Short mmCIF file of all heavy atoms in Angstrom, two decimals:
data_model
loop_
_atom_site.label_atom_id
_atom_site.label_comp_id
_atom_site.label_asym_id
_atom_site.label_seq_id
_atom_site.Cartn_x
_atom_site.Cartn_y
_atom_site.Cartn_z
N ARG A 1500 -51.24 -19.27 60.19
CA ARG A 1500 -52.29 -19.19 59.16
C ARG A 1500 -51.69 -19.34 57.77
O ARG A 1500 -52.27 -19.97 56.89
CB ARG A 1500 -53.02 -17.84 59.29
CG ARG A 1500 -54.09 -17.92 60.39
CD ARG A 1500 -54.95 -16.68 60.43
NE ARG A 1500 -54.25 -15.59 61.07
CZ ARG A 1500 -54.09 -14.37 60.55
NH1 ARG A 1500 -54.57 -14.08 59.38
NH2 ARG A 1500 -53.44 -13.44 61.21
N MET A 1501 -50.50 -18.75 57.58
CA MET A 1501 -49.83 -18.86 56.29
C MET A 1501 -49.51 -20.34 56.00
O MET A 1501 -49.65 -20.81 54.88
CB MET A 1501 -48.56 -18.02 56.32
CG MET A 1501 -47.85 -17.92 54.98
SD MET A 1501 -48.81 -17.00 53.77
CE MET A 1501 -47.95 -15.45 53.78
N GLY A 1502 -49.07 -21.03 57.05
CA GLY A 1502 -48.74 -22.46 56.90
C GLY A 1502 -49.96 -23.27 56.52
O GLY A 1502 -49.92 -24.12 55.62
N LEU A 1503 -51.08 -22.97 57.17
CA LEU A 1503 -52.34 -23.67 56.88
C LEU A 1503 -52.78 -23.43 55.43
O LEU A 1503 -53.23 -24.34 54.73
CB LEU A 1503 -53.44 -23.18 57.83
CG LEU A 1503 -53.43 -23.76 59.24
CD1 LEU A 1503 -54.50 -23.07 60.08
CD2 LEU A 1503 -53.74 -25.26 59.18
N LEU A 1504 -52.60 -22.15 55.02
CA LEU A 1504 -52.98 -21.77 53.66
C LEU A 1504 -52.15 -22.56 52.64
O LEU A 1504 -52.69 -23.05 51.63
CB LEU A 1504 -52.75 -20.27 53.49
CG LEU A 1504 -53.45 -19.59 52.33
CD1 LEU A 1504 -54.96 -19.64 52.50
CD2 LEU A 1504 -53.00 -18.13 52.24
N ALA A 1505 -50.86 -22.66 52.93
CA ALA A 1505 -49.97 -23.38 52.02
C ALA A 1505 -50.37 -24.85 51.93
O ALA A 1505 -50.39 -25.45 50.85
CB ALA A 1505 -48.53 -23.24 52.49
N THR A 1506 -50.73 -25.41 53.08
CA THR A 1506 -51.13 -26.82 53.11
C THR A 1506 -52.42 -27.03 52.30
O THR A 1506 -52.55 -27.97 51.52
CB THR A 1506 -51.38 -27.26 54.57
OG1 THR A 1506 -50.30 -26.82 55.36
CG2 THR A 1506 -51.50 -28.77 54.70
N ARG A 1507 -53.35 -26.08 52.47
CA ARG A 1507 -54.63 -26.19 51.76
C ARG A 1507 -54.43 -26.05 50.26
O ARG A 1507 -55.02 -26.78 49.47
CB ARG A 1507 -55.58 -25.11 52.27
CG ARG A 1507 -57.05 -25.47 52.06
CD ARG A 1507 -57.96 -24.42 52.61
NE ARG A 1507 -57.83 -23.19 51.82
CZ ARG A 1507 -58.44 -22.05 52.13
NH1 ARG A 1507 -59.15 -21.97 53.23
NH2 ARG A 1507 -58.30 -20.97 51.40
N ALA A 1508 -53.55 -25.08 49.89
CA ALA A 1508 -53.30 -24.86 48.46
C ALA A 1508 -52.66 -26.09 47.84
O ALA A 1508 -52.96 -26.44 46.69
CB ALA A 1508 -52.39 -23.64 48.29
N ALA A 1509 -51.81 -26.74 48.59
CA ALA A 1509 -51.13 -27.94 48.07
C ALA A 1509 -52.14 -29.07 47.86
O ALA A 1509 -52.02 -29.87 46.94
CB ALA A 1509 -50.04 -28.38 49.04
N GLY A 1510 -53.17 -29.10 48.70
CA GLY A 1510 -54.17 -30.18 48.61
C GLY A 1510 -55.26 -29.89 47.59
O GLY A 1510 -55.92 -30.80 47.13
N ASP A 1511 -55.49 -28.62 47.27
CA ASP A 1511 -56.58 -28.27 46.37
C ASP A 1511 -56.12 -27.16 45.40
O ASP A 1511 -56.29 -25.97 45.67
CB ASP A 1511 -57.78 -27.77 47.21
CG ASP A 1511 -58.99 -27.49 46.33
OD1 ASP A 1511 -58.93 -27.79 45.10
OD2 ASP A 1511 -59.98 -26.97 46.87
#
Side-chain angles (χ1 to χ4, degrees):
Chain A
R1500 278 187 283 128
M1501 187 67 103
L1503 281 174
L1504 198 64
T1506 313
R1507 204 178 68 185
D1511 184 6

